[in-house]
Amino acid sequence: MMRYFTFSLITIAVVATVSVPALAYDNQYPLGELDDAVGAGTSGHGSRCHLPRPIDPSEDGLVSSQELFSGIDALETLVQRHQPLVRIPSICYDDLGDFDDDERWKPFYDIPIVLKETYPLVHEYATVDTVNRFGLVYTVQGSEKDLAPILLTAHQDVVPVESETLDQWEYPPFEAFYNETEGFLYGRGASDDKSAVTALMSAMEALLSQDEYQPRRSVIFAFGFDEECSGYRGAGEISKHLEERYGEGGIAVILDEGGAGLQSLGDTLYALPAVYEKGYLDVWFDLNVVGGHSSTPPPNTAIGIMSEIITTLEWNPFEPKIEWDSPVHQALVCLARYSPHALPELTEAVHYGNLKAAAHILAQASRDSQYFIQTSQAVDWIAGGQKINALPEFVSVGVNHRYAPQDSIGGIQHRIVHLVKDTVRKYNLHLQAFKGDEDYERYLTTNGIPPQEENARHLWKPVYNGTLVLEARKKSYITPQSPTSGPIWDTFAGTVRYTFARQAPTVVVAPGAMTGNTDTRHYLRLSENIYRWSPGSLKSFSNIHTINERLLVSEHLNMAKFYYDFIRNFDQADFD
């Protein structure tokens, strides 16, 4: 799920000329306090957009990442390591059955075999645990057991390839063809997320090849196998395994895929890790009405009634909002500080604390930036009707929400009830709203709102005898926000600034959010320091989840460099 569900600085820069409306300056600062306003977004820091110093790990005496992962030989080695992994069609289907009964699990047996052949030193020195048949946990034990280990994660599975699109691929999706002219390696999973598996294992193989590498702090790699199907069998079980071994909060830091990678604005390079994930809510609308023959229909069929509900929802989107001192606000403070002329109107809005105007700019820039700060709602599923000459008796609609911090599950549910009320009354339906749902009932109780029920009154014809049932069938909460200051953040950000210092005069690490979910949702009990960031530019990871997925191998080398430096710097850091 490496797809970057975060706003693009480049997109914003292009469209930042949109007019800022005359909005009330909420949270505004007067002109005399301009500098304080810009600095206010950096939680825990008095300076403007505090940048931790770059951390050079060379004190450990190991060969530098630049020397190890640069040049044609290193590139060819990475290609040779990556190709066998990409050739394995480890597809996660939503309807996968039991391991022993569903033959589609068979490719997953090949992955540990390939990894063992490709990384002999890792398998010689690391302890390898298999969790729930296909989950892989590699542990390189540190010498100081009182130091909390670090956890770096990736996933082995990939999304399916639609058979109808095979002829549109430049190269077969599981051939792992490397085009030397372009520098891209093609294949499903080449980017998402097998690139991380190869880069992590290559970094560890390089470390273990040096006698000087004597780790103080244990290093854990965890490779789930069903992240694309929500991760319950993979990371969900691995998390239990790790918690049993290290206890709740027993991991110092967790690094997984995600974020917005590396993006350039002028001579500044921005690294945009996600420090939290938006919440998730599926709401189902089930409508039952009286059927009959289509030759004598009522004015509106069940499909027509449900269409009114859908239209009402879509005509009432959620409001974008930037919370004060939130990760988004902190990132915008950094933008205003280091790229003030690239985004002048956004810079002005941030300078004066006009977060309404800033939210308007982001919402107008692109869908990605819009839903970075706004709850999304998407009508993704609908079914109804059995026969062309029979009135439908049952229609079902599924609406997916990825909700932002300013909203809540109960608040969204109450909002839906409010929006459908007119339709319910118009057609004299009985409404059953979120019966027994704890989030909904808690919201009503907290806000002093009586239960929202409507009973059919049968005051007019035609009589639909209809019932509309609202139900939340899948939900997850917004994840806790990881720290954006302190020694662990500084070590992480300082490593980013060191590894990528050659690419720009200034490297800025600024926090963001994920609108999608990663395997980290299962690791929340293990650490409060969870960062979702794939160390590469948007050019590195092309066509994820679609035709011609490919990986720019020259930048794949940079991934290995970063992981190599990350492990070294956290091994030398003292924050326990």
Side-chain angles (χ1 to χ4, degrees):
M1 143 77 211
M2 190 193 300
R3 186 173 180 179
Y4 295 105
F5 294 101
T6 49
F7 74 93
S8 166
L9 301 181
I10 297 173
T11 301
I12 296 172
V14 171
V15 297
T17 55
V18 298
S19 299
V20 179
L23 298 171
Y25 272 36
D26 290 358
N27 298 321
Q28 64 182 325
Y29 286 81
L31 288 172
E33 299 177 15
L34 176 62
D35 289 345
D36 291 335
V38 173
T42 54
S43 179
H45 298 292
S47 61
R48 301 179 183 179
C49 184
H50 168 76
L51 295 185
R53 63 177 180 82
I55 302 177
D56 181 350
S58 61
E59 289 187 9
D60 60 11
L62 300 179
V63 179
S64 73
S65 60
Q66 183 66 24
E67 184 176 345
L68 282 171
F69 297 106
S70 297
I72 188 65
D73 289 342
L75 187 147
E76 289 177 351
T77 298
L78 208 60
V79 169
Q80 292 167 7
R81 288 173 171 173
H82 200 40
Q83 283 177 319
L85 189 61
V86 176
R87 288 177 181 139
I88 299 172
S90 50
I91 298 171
C92 191
Y93 297 95
D94 288 336
D95 62 344
L96 278 168
D98 293 338
F99 298 136
D100 294 325
D101 299 331
D102 197 325
E103 292 190 354
R104 292 175 295 176
W105 285 112
K106 284 187 176 180
F108 288 87
Y109 288 104
D110 295 331
I111 290 179
I113 297 173
V114 166
L115 293 179
K116 186 173 183 178
E117 293 173 349
T118 308
Y119 306 99
L121 293 177
V122 173
H123 286 80
E124 179 180 350
Y125 291 103
T127 301
V128 185
D129 295 315
T130 301
V131 179
N132 198 25
R133 188 72 65 93
F134 299 118
L136 297 174
V137 177
Y138 295 81
T139 305
V140 176
Q141 187 65 45
S143 60
E144 300 184 22
K145 294 185 178 180
D146 59 328
L147 297 181
I150 63 174
L151 172 63
L152 299 97
T153 73
H155 62 88
Q156 310 166 51
D157 58 305
V158 303
V159 297
V161 176
E162 296 291 340
S163 58
E164 294 82 2
T165 68
L166 287 173
D167 61 347
Q168 301 176 48
W169 283 73
E170 293 187 35
Y171 309 99
F174 294 105
E175 185 177 293
F177 181 83
Y178 175 56
N179 187 314
E180 294 186 38
T181 303
E182 298 177 349
F184 284 100
L185 192 153
Y186 285 76
R188 174 64 82 232
S191 295
D192 185 9
D193 182 34
K194 292 179 178 180
S195 60
V197 175
T198 298
L200 286 168
M201 295 293 277
S202 294
M204 183 55 72
E205 189 78 0
L207 288 166
L208 293 172
S209 70
Q210 303 171 67
D211 292 336
E212 294 83 0
Y213 180 56
Q214 301 292 330
R216 301 164 57 227
R217 187 184 301 275
S218 295
V219 180
I220 307 167
F221 292 167
F223 301 150
F225 57 87
D226 63 340
E227 191 273 349
E228 301 293 1
C229 304
S230 297
Y232 291 101
R233 289 192 259 200
E237 294 301 316
I238 290 174
S239 67
K240 298 174 186 176
H241 171 79
L242 294 176
E243 186 174 350
E244 183 177 340
R245 176 175 295 176
Y246 299 105
E248 184 176 351
I251 304 294
V253 64
I254 298 174
L255 181 65
D256 194 12
E257 61 170 337
L262 294 160
Q263 300 184 34
S264 294
L265 272 182
D267 60 358
T268 301
L269 182 67
Y270 288 88
L272 303 167
V275 297
Y276 72 90
E277 296 178 0
K278 292 176 72 177
Y280 182 104
L281 175 65
D282 285 339
V283 174
W284 291 85
F285 299 67
D286 295 331
L287 177 62
N288 288 276
V289 300
V290 174
H293 198 280
S294 61
S295 62
T296 55
N300 301 88
T301 67
I303 293 175
I305 295 171
M306 191 65 85
S307 298
E308 286 192 28
I309 292 173
I310 293 172
T311 302
T312 300
L313 293 174
E314 293 188 337
W315 275 99
N316 290 274
F318 290 80
E319 289 293 322
K321 184 178 181 181
I322 299 172
E323 300 278 2
W324 190 260
D325 200 31
S326 65
V328 177
H329 185 201
Q330 294 176 38
L332 294 181
V333 168
C334 290
L335 278 172
R337 171 68 179 88
Y338 290 98
S339 301
H341 304 298
L343 311 159
E345 292 191 342
L346 186 59
T347 296
E348 181 181 3
V350 173
H351 269 317
Y352 289 100
N354 187 359
L355 298 189
K356 275 192 176 181
H360 174 80
I361 292 172
L362 292 186
Q364 294 295 314
S366 70
R367 280 190 298 172
D368 285 343
S369 60
Q370 176 184 2
Y371 292 115
F372 195 54
I373 56 172
Q374 177 180 329
T375 294
S376 63
Q377 61 175 7
V379 181
D380 290 332
W381 196 91
I382 186 168
Q386 298 293 323
K387 203 170 184 297
I388 191 61
N389 63 348
L391 298 174
E393 297 174 326
F394 179 79
V395 178
S396 183
V397 165
V399 181
N400 175 259
H401 302 81
R402 308 298 177 103
Y403 66 94
Q406 65 266 24
D407 294 311
S408 66
I409 291 176
I412 294 169
Q413 292 170 319
H414 177 62
R415 181 179 185 272
I416 289 171
V417 171
H418 175 74
L419 289 174
V420 304
K421 259 191 166 184
D422 286 346
T423 302
V424 167
R425 290 172 177 170
K426 177 179 178 181
Y427 296 103
N428 204 23
L429 306 175
H430 173 62
L431 176 64
Q432 294 181 7
F434 306 107
K435 287 272 189 184
D437 189 292
E438 292 182 0
D439 290 289
Y440 181 59
E441 293 177 354
R442 186 184 307 114
Y443 181 87
L444 296 182
T445 300
T446 301
N447 292 276
I449 302 170
Q452 306 293 293
E453 296 287 334
E454 289 286 337
N455 294 308
R457 295 181 298 275
H458 303 300
L459 300 179
W460 55 276
K461 300 290 185 179
V463 175
Y464 288 93
N465 284 337
T467 298
L468 177 64
V469 179
L470 305 178
E471 182 182 5
R473 297 182 190 170
K474 184 178 179 181
K475 62 176 78 169
S476 62
Y477 302 102
I478 296 172
T479 65
Q481 179 185 321
S482 296
T484 55
S485 63
I488 291 181
W489 169 264
D490 287 354
T491 303
F492 167 55
T495 303
V496 175
R497 299 196 70 216
Y498 171 79
T499 302
F500 296 96
R502 294 171 179 264
Q503 296 192 18
T506 305
V507 179
V508 176
V509 184
M514 293 284 292
T515 61
N517 297 112
T518 66
D519 270 344
T520 58
R521 74 173 90 175
H522 301 290
Y523 296 130
L524 298 177
R525 290 173 55 87
L526 294 175
S527 179
E528 67 173 0
N529 303 293
I530 300 177
Y531 301 104
R532 306 153 185 89
W533 189 64
S534 300
S537 71
L538 299 186
K539 184 180 179 182
S540 303
F541 309 108
S542 298
N543 293 9
I544 289 171
H545 284 207
T546 188
I547 299 163
N548 290 322
E549 180 177 347
R550 57 192 184 271
L551 172 70
L552 185 60
V553 181
S554 61
E555 293 202 15
H556 196 200
L557 286 169
N558 290 335
M559 293 182 68
K561 289 178 187 176
F562 172 73
Y563 292 138
Y564 181 84
D565 291 339
F566 182 94
I567 293 169
R568 295 165 67 198
N569 277 335
F570 271 93
D571 193 63
Q572 298 175 66
D574 289 311
F575 43 70
D576 296 83

